[in-house]
């Protein structure tokens, strides 16, 4: 309350002084704009929020602290600079009293001293830091050229220009606009047909329709995802020594999908921070939380897991603060923040939200670290979809079979009556006669005179045996397998192994190509852990041992069949026996197979009493006939039921083979959080509970102490930062620089927005739109401010080199991933396939091997994978894709992409196989599509890459270059052949190699034009 009262008093005093100051011709000092940056840069280090390092008990980051009484008086006395110790200290020549101290490395300029003195003279009015005050609506200001504005952005931008006495630039021509907005929204250039269609559309809505088409393109989501991946520190490897690979690309694909579906930003936020905690969380909700598992993982042998775990939690706090709040909260890990009003305790309150993840700090799930979730790959999803389709079709057949009311044929009725009679009699075992027997893994199988089968060879841990058997038996209900002793077996036992164990792990039977399900079984003896229908054991009930003197007792097992095999003369059965064991003490030796019409124990398919009575009845009632009909069709449906069971097993197996992705998941028992003394992982200070910084919006009173509460707090409309920070990211995306230049720092050390009211208005509208991302992007790119020509005078560059007044369209170098995608697209090489694991494109040989002492090899992909978008390149953290020369390291969160102009840039664009190959593809397009003459082809190629026709001078330079290059290759055809050999795709064999090499060089030249590699 005291702070609020002092603020009001200061504000009133400032208002009362304004007429007096105006009369004297002095400008009114704005504390937040003019004074705070000076205090933050020069004074807060010793007199700011960090109480542990504060000097002389003077605090200049709060109004109360600045006006407080000190031992030697007051640092600031409003309206009285002569009585203010601050004024004396900044102007003294005494090195012992001078502030900032000479040894601090900080000095004040004369202008800064004057500003501080004027501010105190004018009453030392105070104001909250602009970014900590919730944004409010601002009515678009009145402007002289109101007809220039297309939306609210333009009124704010134009007002700033008119205030500075400058004018906006004319609108860019249509060719420039379509290229600019297409590249900005999709990261790809417009095609010639798209340019032609836009030029031919004279309607006032032509540009709006173009923007809507681009926002609906799948390429939009891919392009927008790139910056989010930089912010999320996404990569395909863990970093650190050996840099083990990880599987996080399904999360990347989720991000692309979210952008393309225009997921509201508040949902986008909540799902990534706490999707696993949402009620009835879906697989995709849980997958979204991979955002905070993208950090580096330290798997070094001597690393202490708990130290790593703490680092990961800290990384999550830093990343969340940077991405959503634009704050450098990581500075408060070891002490109170030096410049912003955030304490170390508050840092660890945020830390507590992320401290309860069920993780150990170790790399304990392959290249990943728990917690993980299983998720199918796109290929697995296709397989599962196909299985689901098969399942639906089988279910339809089953439903149709069960609905059939056709009476059973008399032949079937006669067979059933005969089966009943044989079952009720004493059915004999009929030995099956093997006609062929094979071993998958090369063991020898002998068919003995007594129809037994002898397996001979080296003991194997697993094998598959396939037998074809003939029989005349009828109405087969049961299969019997006899495991037989043999003289040469160990202890004359049942198998060739030292233990003498006969083990069978699976058995399959089919008749006429139709599988017959085995529904149960029994055996003479079952060893614990090896139940019948899975295994046989040669040990006796009394505990036969390996060194027992002699065992020669056969063992048998019987299997009940799921349906009766009619059988009869000429019947052929196929049996597949599978043996698998973790050691070689179990195998299959000598065995014989028999069948019978008598069921074992309880019949596998028991005839209902009513059906049996019906079959044996001399005359049948209507009810008996209906029951018999139903039973008949149930039997006919059994193979379909077996098929459905088999499909279910395949679906289960497909789900088990899904890949593992790191996600967030809470521990069952909460982990206590503490302030860590000086940030050390094992130096516990006071315990803390989850909470948010006091200077920002408060949590609801009933908010739970979990990440879901934190996520909702971030996107609460009362939060003063999230919407502003996000809008600033979007502005940076389209203009190359945010309205706040220091995208990563909205605190005291950051820069003020160039257009504060515009930033606030966009932030408020963003929230009120339901956090509609595409709508905000659309507003920006349809504004007159964005649509200005990028041409600028030297005088304007000198006055406003960074275009902070927004007097012309954006112009800067495209980042390397956009340049690569553009080259592939212009050459017609781009593979538009979306999603999936990272691909490995061209890279100089030996880089990975040199880094890893030969332990990691780079296996380049081939074919279409080489031409995927840069978004899908495999990203090894320690050695990023070499074709991407200006990207972030993906080791920490990065919200401002570096745009470079280095020798490496030119070296890559002129020599990387991807660009040379793209140049050749452009050259081939010129030869096939550009017309009959070299001049026409040069002009066609120029228009392809720039979107406009060349001037006469440009056309002349290009043609001269073509003629010169052609002469060089004619003089040295070997050089032409070498050029055409670069890249994996093959040159068009119908084209003259020397001529094609010339067009290749010219294509590469076109791709390196300043107009192509820059945003205009």
């Amino acid at each position: 309350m005291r702070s609020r009262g002092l603020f009001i008093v200061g504000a009133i005093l400032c208002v009362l002084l304004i007429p007096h100051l105006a009369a004297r011709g002095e400008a009114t000092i704005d504390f937040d704009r003019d004074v705070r940056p000076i205090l933050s840069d020069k004074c807060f280090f010793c007199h700011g929020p960090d109480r542990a390092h504060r000097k002389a008990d003077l605090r200049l980051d709060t109004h109360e602290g600045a006006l407080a009484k000190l031992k030697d008086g007051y640092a600031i006395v409003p309206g009285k600079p002569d009585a203010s110790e601050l004024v004396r200290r900044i102007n003294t020549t005494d090195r012992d009293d001078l502030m900032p101290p000479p040894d601090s490395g900080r000095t004040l300029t004369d202008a800064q001293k004057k500003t501080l003195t004027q501010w105190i003279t004018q009453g030392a009015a105070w104001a909250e830091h602009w970014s900590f005050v919730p944004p409010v609506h601002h009515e678009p200001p009145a402007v002289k050229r109101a007809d220039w504005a297309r939306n609210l952005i333009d009124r704010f931008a134009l007002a700033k220009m008119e205030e500075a006495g400058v004018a906006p630039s004319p609108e860019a021509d249509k060719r420039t606009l379509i290229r600019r907005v297409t590249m900005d929204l999709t990261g790809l250039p417009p095609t010639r047909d798209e340019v032609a269609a836009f030029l031919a559309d004279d309607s006032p809505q032509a540009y709006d329709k173009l923007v809507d088409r681009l926002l609906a393109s799948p390429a939009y989501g891919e392009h927008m995802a790139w910056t989010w991946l930089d912010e999320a520190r996404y990569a395909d490897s863990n970093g650190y020594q050996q840099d083990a690979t990880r599987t996080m690309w399904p999360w990347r694909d989720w991000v692309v999908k979210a952008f393309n579906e225009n997921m509201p930003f508040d949902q986008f936020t909540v799902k990534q921070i706490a999707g696993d905690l949402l009620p009835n969380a879906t697989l995709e909700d849980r997958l979204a939380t991979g955002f905070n598992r993208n950090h580096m993982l330290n798997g070094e042998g001597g690393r202490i897991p708990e130290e790593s775990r703490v680092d990961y939690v800290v990384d999550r706090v830093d990343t969340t603060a940077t991405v959503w709040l634009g704050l450098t909260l990581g500075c408060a890990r070891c002490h109170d923040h030096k410049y912003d009003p955030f304490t170390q305790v508050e840092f660890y309150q945020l830390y507590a939200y992320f401290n309860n993840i069920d993780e150990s700090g170790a790399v304990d799930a392959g290249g990943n670290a728990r917690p993980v979730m299983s998720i199918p790959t796109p290929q697995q999803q296709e397989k599962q979809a196909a299985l689901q389709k098969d399942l639906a079709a089988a279910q339809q057949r089953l439903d149709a079979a069960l609905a059939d009311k056709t009476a059973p044929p008399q032949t079937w009725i006669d067979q059933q009556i005969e089966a009943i009679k044989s079952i009720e009699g004493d059915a004999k075992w009929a030995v099956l006669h093997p006609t062929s027997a094979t071993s998958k893994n090369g063991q020898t199988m002998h068919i003995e005179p007594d129809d037994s089968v002898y397996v001979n060879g080296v003991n194997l841990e697993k094998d598959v045996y396939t037998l074809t058997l003939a029989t005349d038996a009828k109405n087969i209900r049961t299969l019997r397998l006899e495991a037989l002793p043999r003289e040469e077996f160990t202890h004359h036992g049942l198998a060739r192994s030292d233990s003498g164990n006969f083990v069978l792990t699976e058995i399959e039977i089919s008749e006429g190509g139709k599988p017959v399900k085995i529904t149960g079984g029994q055996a003479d003896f079952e060893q614990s852990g090896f139940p019948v229908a899975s295994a046989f054991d040669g040990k006796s009930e009394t505990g036969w041992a390996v060194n027992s003197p002699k065992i020669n007792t056969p063992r048998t097992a019987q299997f009940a069949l799921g349906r009766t095999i009619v059988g009869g003369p000429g019947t052929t059965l196929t049996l597949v026996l599978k043996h698998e064991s973790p050691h070689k003490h179990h195998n299959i030796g000598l065995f014989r197979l028999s069948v019978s019409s008598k069921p074992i124990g309880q019949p596998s398919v028991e005839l209902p009493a009513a059906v049996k009575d019906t079959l044996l009845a001399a005359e049948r009632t209507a009810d008996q006939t209906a029951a018999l009909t139903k039973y008949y069709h149930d039997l006919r449906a059994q193979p379909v039921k077996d098929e459905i069971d088999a499909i279910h097993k395949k679906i289960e197996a497909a789900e088990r083979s899904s890949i593992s992705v790191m996600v967030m998941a809470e521990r069952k028992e909460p982990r206590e959080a503490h302030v860590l003394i000086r940030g050390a992982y094992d130096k516990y200070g006071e315990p803390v509970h989850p909470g948010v910084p006091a200077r920002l919006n408060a949590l609801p009173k009933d908010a739970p102490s979990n990440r879901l509460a934190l996520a909702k707090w971030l996107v609460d409309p009362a939060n003063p930062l999230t919407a502003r920070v996000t809008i600033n990211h979007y502005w940076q995306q389209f203009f190359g620089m945010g309205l706040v230049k220091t995208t990563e720092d909205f605190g005291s050390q950051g820069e003020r927005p160039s257009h504060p009211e515009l930033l606030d208005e966009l932030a408020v509208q963003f929230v009120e739109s339901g956090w509609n991302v595409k709508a905000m992007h659309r507003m920006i790119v349809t504004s007159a401010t964005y649509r200005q020509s990028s041409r600028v005078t030297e005088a304007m560059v000198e006055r406003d080199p960074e275009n902070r007044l927004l007097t012309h369209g954006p112009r800067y170098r495209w980042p390397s991933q956009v340049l690569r995608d553009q080259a592939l697209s212009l050459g017609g090489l781009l593979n538009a396939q979306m999603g999936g694991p990272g691909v490995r494109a061209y890279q100089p040989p030996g880089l990975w091997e040199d880094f890893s002492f030969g332990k990691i090899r780079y296996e380049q992909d081939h074919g279409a994978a080489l031409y995927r978008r840069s978004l899908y390149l495999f990203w090894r953290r320690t050695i990023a894709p070499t074709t991407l020369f200006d990207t972030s390291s993906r080791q920490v969160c990065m919200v401002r992409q570096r745009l470079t102009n280095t020798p490496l840039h030119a070296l890559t664009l002129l020599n990387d196989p991807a660009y040379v190959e793209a140049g050749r593809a452009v050259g081939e397009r010129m030869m096939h599509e550009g017309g009959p003459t070299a001049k026409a082809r040069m002009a066609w190629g120029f228009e392809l890459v720039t979107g406009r026709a060349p001037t006469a001078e440009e056309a002349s330079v290009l043609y001269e270059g073509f003629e010169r290059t052609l002469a060089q290759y004619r003089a040295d055809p070997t050089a032409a052949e070498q050029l055409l050999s670069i890249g994996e795709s093959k040159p068009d064999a119908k084209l003259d190699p020397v001529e094609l090499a010339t067009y290749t060089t010219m294509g590469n030249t076109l791709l390196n034009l300043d107009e192509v590699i820059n945003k205009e």
Side-chain angles (χ1 to χ4, degrees), residues 411-677:
T411 54
W412 178 84
I413 293 175
D414 294 341
Q415 290 169 354
Q416 300 307 306
I417 293 173
E418 183 179 350
I420 292 171
K421 293 178 179 179
S422 66
I423 289 172
E424 292 178 344
D426 185 19
K428 304 297 184 182
W429 288 105
V431 175
L432 297 175
H433 307 292
T435 58
S436 68
T438 61
S439 160
K440 179 180 179 181
N441 292 326
Q443 298 194 76
T444 304
M445 301 185 69
H446 301 282
I447 300 175
E448 303 293 290
D450 63 350
D451 289 322
S452 62
V453 179
Y454 172 42
V455 181
N456 191 18
V458 179
N459 285 0
L460 300 174
E461 292 182 0
K462 62 180 178 180
D463 204 352
V464 179
Y465 312 96
T466 304
L467 298 93
T468 304
L469 308 112
T471 185
D472 293 337
K474 297 180 180 179
N475 301 312
I476 298 168
R477 304 288 297 279
T478 307
L479 170 72
R480 182 178 70 176
L481 186 148
E482 298 173 90
L484 304 171
R486 192 175 178 91
E487 188 69 22
E488 59 265 37
F489 290 168
T490 303
H491 306 298
H492 312 297
L494 301 180
R496 294 163 288 135
S497 65
D498 291 341
S499 68
N501 290 344
F502 184 110
V503 175
L504 175 67
T505 51
E506 193 174 343
I507 182 168
E508 298 173 358
I509 182 171
S510 60
E511 180 255 336
K514 297 180 180 178
V516 180
K517 188 175 183 180
I518 294 175
T519 60
Q522 63 186 31
D524 296 336
F525 173 74
E526 296 178 25
Q527 181 179 335
S528 176
F530 294 91
V532 71
S534 296
F536 312 98
D537 195 301
K539 292 183 180 180
S540 69
E541 293 87 334
T542 57
W544 166 76
V546 172
N547 59 358
S548 296
K550 196 168 187 179
I551 297 293
N552 57 10
T553 305
R555 298 291 181 191
T556 64
Q558 298 179 25
F559 300 93
L561 305 185
R563 63 182 174 87
T564 300
I565 298 175
V566 176
T571 298
T572 298
L573 303 178
T574 301
L575 261 71
V576 177
L577 308 179
K578 297 182 180 180
H579 154 71
E580 183 170 356
S581 178
H583 50 74
K584 299 178 182 178
H585 295 309
H586 300 155
N587 58 36
I588 292 178
L590 179 66
F591 62 92
R592 184 167 49 228
L593 298 157
S594 309
V595 292
S596 173
S597 60
K598 187 171 184 176
I600 61 167
Q602 296 299 318
S604 57
V605 180
E606 184 75 44
L607 277 173
V611 173
K612 186 185 294 186
D613 292 343
T614 299
L615 286 167
L616 298 176
E619 294 184 8
R620 303 184 183 102
T621 66
D623 289 344
Q624 287 177 320
T625 300
L628 184 63
T629 299
K630 181 180 184 304
Y631 176 73
Y632 168 70
H633 287 295
D634 285 348
L635 286 180
R636 291 189 64 196
Q638 188 60 47
V640 185
K641 293 179 181 177
D642 293 344
E643 181 184 353
I644 289 173
D645 288 343
I647 293 173
H648 277 300
K649 288 181 179 178
K650 290 180 180 179
I651 291 173
E652 291 172 2
E655 290 175 349
R656 288 194 299 270
S657 66
S658 297
I659 61 173
S660 174
V661 181
M662 293 187 288
V663 293
M664 303 285 273
E666 295 287 277
R667 286 162 48 99
K668 292 181 180 178
E669 294 296 327
R671 183 187 280 117
E672 191 175 57
H674 295 261
V675 171
L676 299 179
I677 299 171

Side-chain angles (χ1 to χ4, degrees), residues 174-407:
K174 291 187 73 172
R175 289 181 180 272
T176 299
L177 281 178
I178 185 173
R179 176 172 167 76
R180 177 192 296 176
V181 75
T182 304
M183 293 285 282
D184 268 342
L185 289 177
T186 69
L188 299 173
T191 66
R192 289 175 58 89
D193 289 344
E194 288 169 347
V195 173
F198 180 60
L199 295 177
D201 188 348
D202 294 329
S203 69
Q205 296 78 33
Y207 183 78
D208 289 345
K209 289 188 293 184
L210 166 64
V211 170
D212 290 339
R213 175 177 64 79
L214 296 172
L215 289 170
S217 166
Y220 165 84
E222 292 178 312
H223 185 52
M224 294 303 155
W226 184 276
T227 54
W228 193 256
L229 265 54
D230 278 347
E231 295 174 17
R233 65 271 194 250
Y234 167 86
D236 295 299
S237 73
N238 291 338
Y240 298 106
Q241 185 179 0
Q242 301 306 317
D243 204 6
T245 57
R246 58 169 55 179
T247 305
M248 290 300 292
W249 57 262
W251 173 82
R252 175 204 64 202
D253 293 349
W254 178 89
V255 172
V256 174
K257 181 182 178 184
F259 274 111
N260 275 331
E261 293 180 351
N262 197 26
M263 181 181 291
F265 186 78
D266 58 341
Q267 294 181 32
F268 187 66
T269 295
V270 170
K271 289 176 185 289
Q272 291 185 87
I273 297 291
D276 58 309
L277 300 178
L278 288 169
N280 304 313
T282 65
L283 181 145
E284 287 205 343
D285 291 337
R286 295 172 57 212
L287 174 61
T289 65
F291 173 89
N292 260 319
R293 299 304 307 285
N294 278 314
H295 52 73
M296 297 170 68
L297 289 175
N298 194 330
E300 296 177 4
R303 180 72 170 180
I304 300 171
E306 177 63 9
E307 184 176 7
S308 293
R309 190 193 68 79
V310 168
D311 283 349
Y312 305 156
V313 179
V314 168
D315 179 272
R316 291 170 195 142
V317 178
D318 290 348
T319 299
T320 302
T322 301
V323 172
W324 279 276
L325 302 175
L327 296 176
T328 57
L329 282 183
C331 297
R333 176 181 180 179
C334 303
H335 48 71
D336 292 347
H337 203 291
K338 294 287 187 184
Y339 303 100
D340 293 328
F342 306 116
T343 67
Q344 187 184 19
V345 169
E346 288 176 328
F347 176 89
Y348 285 100
Q349 287 176 330
L350 286 171
Y351 173 101
Y353 283 114
F354 298 106
N355 191 50
N356 198 41
I357 307 307
D358 190 14
E359 62 184 337
S360 66
V363 180
D364 53 8
N368 292 347
R370 293 184 179 90
V372 297
M373 67 175 288
S374 294
I375 188 167
T377 66
Q379 293 76 18
Q380 290 168 333
Q381 289 176 359
E382 290 179 9
K383 182 178 180 180
Q384 291 182 19
L387 287 171
Q388 291 293 344
K389 186 177 180 181
D390 293 343
L391 181 63
Q395 187 63 49
Q396 284 185 341
R397 294 199 304 275
L398 177 61
D399 294 342
L402 296 176
D404 195 346
K405 304 300 182 183
T406 307

Side-chain angles (χ1 to χ4, degrees), residues 678-689:
R678 297 201 61 79
Y681 78 96
D682 57 350
K683 303 297 183 186
Y684 287 0
E686 61 181 291
V688 294
H689 299 286

